Amino acid sequence: MKKLKRNSLPFFILLLIHTCLLGFTIQKSKNRKKIFVLLFANMGFAYLFEYFIFNLFKAYSYKPKIVTKRIFDNIFGAFLSQAIYVPFTAVFLTRKKCGWGSKIASGIYFYLVEKVFLNLGIFKLSGWKSIYTLILLPFYFKLSDFWFASLNKKTSIVRFLSLFFMIMVTETNLFLILAFLRRLRMGRGRYHSWREHFILSPLYTILISLFTAIILRKRNVFGVKLGVVLFAAFLNKLFVKLKILKNTLHPIAYYAIRSIMIFVYGQYREWVYEDEMIDSLEKKNNQ
């Protein structure tokens, strides 16, 4: 029990700090939908980075001792870092219009956090170096500024990628939950290792997310949503038949989850392209 607290307490302290940071940012913002779009985009950047550095090359690992199974405990530590600590900070810095000084100071903050975690034995480096964190994070925070400015300018490619990132992050988290519940697992051959699963599953979710974003971008209507659900079901069936995916979900549960998800993604689309909806309504009223 003491070891559990010793390992997990620093993670929960940071969770509280950064949750308060995001809460303050949202509370002070007039357009909260755009803040969530920016947040998901920042998570998307972090998830793509994490796929190569963490999933493929295993450059570092976490030991929060929160989840019993070692690989899920490691993944949970990565989730806290890449979905909460860093993206929440990025959104805060962007909305406060902080300059390079604050960005560099935030990079130093995360550098020191890494050093503390290393000394506590709850974070381990296997190729990554803390100096990379110090150097790269300020540029990540600057990318967040650029992304928010581009959203405000209604830049087409940025808005589309934002929709894609929102769907990808949600799909990734959903897949993680279902894997944790032992309902979905990816791999080749008869035995699907968890290492293999966490290499293949992001590629699967990226494929679904990209298709969904492309289709929803054009029209957010029932027929389009139904097409997305059927495409996801087709992919599921195909990968199960190829013995790359093991799915123990009941078909009713699977389609229920897919139906809920496509409704959520439709809402994401409205958040990203909110102004288009307003312009469309104004045109109808003027006719």
Side-chain angles (χ1 to χ4, degrees), residues 161-216:
L161 287 176
S162 295
L163 176 61
F164 164 70
F165 282 137
M166 294 180 83
I167 297 170
M168 184 195 76
V169 168
T170 307
E171 279 289 326
T172 301
N173 293 342
L174 173 64
F175 225 80
L176 178 60
I177 292 169
L178 292 176
F180 179 75
L181 296 173
R182 297 182 180 276
R183 295 299 181 184
L184 291 178
R185 190 161 175 173
M186 298 199 75
R188 294 168 297 175
R190 298 181 67 181
Y191 177 70
H192 297 178
S193 70
W194 284 117
R195 163 117 174 104
E196 217 175 1
H197 171 83
F198 287 113
I199 290 175
L200 292 176
S201 61
L203 302 177
Y204 184 79
T205 57
I206 285 172
L207 180 59
I208 291 178
S209 302
L210 186 59
F211 177 84
T212 305
I214 291 171
I215 298 300
L216 274 183

Side-chain angles (χ1 to χ4, degrees), residues 219-284:
R219 295 182 70 194
N220 183 20
V221 295
F222 176 78
V224 170
K225 292 177 179 178
L226 179 61
V228 173
V229 172
L230 293 177
F231 174 76
F234 166 76
L235 271 188
N236 174 75
K237 202 80 174 175
L238 176 63
F239 280 86
V240 168
K241 194 162 187 177
L242 293 172
K243 297 182 179 179
I244 297 174
L245 173 66
K246 184 178 181 181
N247 184 352
T248 60
L249 279 170
H250 191 281
I252 294 176
Y254 177 81
Y255 280 104
I257 291 171
R258 278 288 145 213
S259 299
I260 293 170
M261 287 299 100
I262 194 57
F263 171 78
V264 171
Y265 300 153
Q267 290 302 303
Y268 288 168
R269 196 262 187 198
E270 303 310 318
W271 291 0
V272 175
Y273 297 100
E274 187 178 22
D275 58 292
E276 287 188 2
M277 293 294 296
I278 295 172
D279 292 342
S280 178
L281 287 172
E282 287 179 350
K283 285 181 182 178
K284 286 183 179 179

Side-chain angles (χ1 to χ4, degrees), residues 43-62 75 78 82 126-128 132 136 164-165 168 172 195 198-203 206:
M43 288 181 183
F45 305 147
Y47 276 30
L48 290 179
F49 170 83
E50 193 85 336
Y51 175 70
F52 293 99
I53 304 301
F54 178 75
N55 291 37
L56 289 182
F57 300 115
K58 299 190 289 184
Y60 45 76
S61 59
Y62 300 85
I75 292 292
Q82 303 303 328
S126 305
W128 186 260
Y132 300 159
L136 294 176
F164 164 70
F165 282 137
M168 184 195 76
T172 301
R195 163 117 174 104
F198 287 113
I199 290 175
L200 292 176
S201 61
L203 302 177
I206 285 172

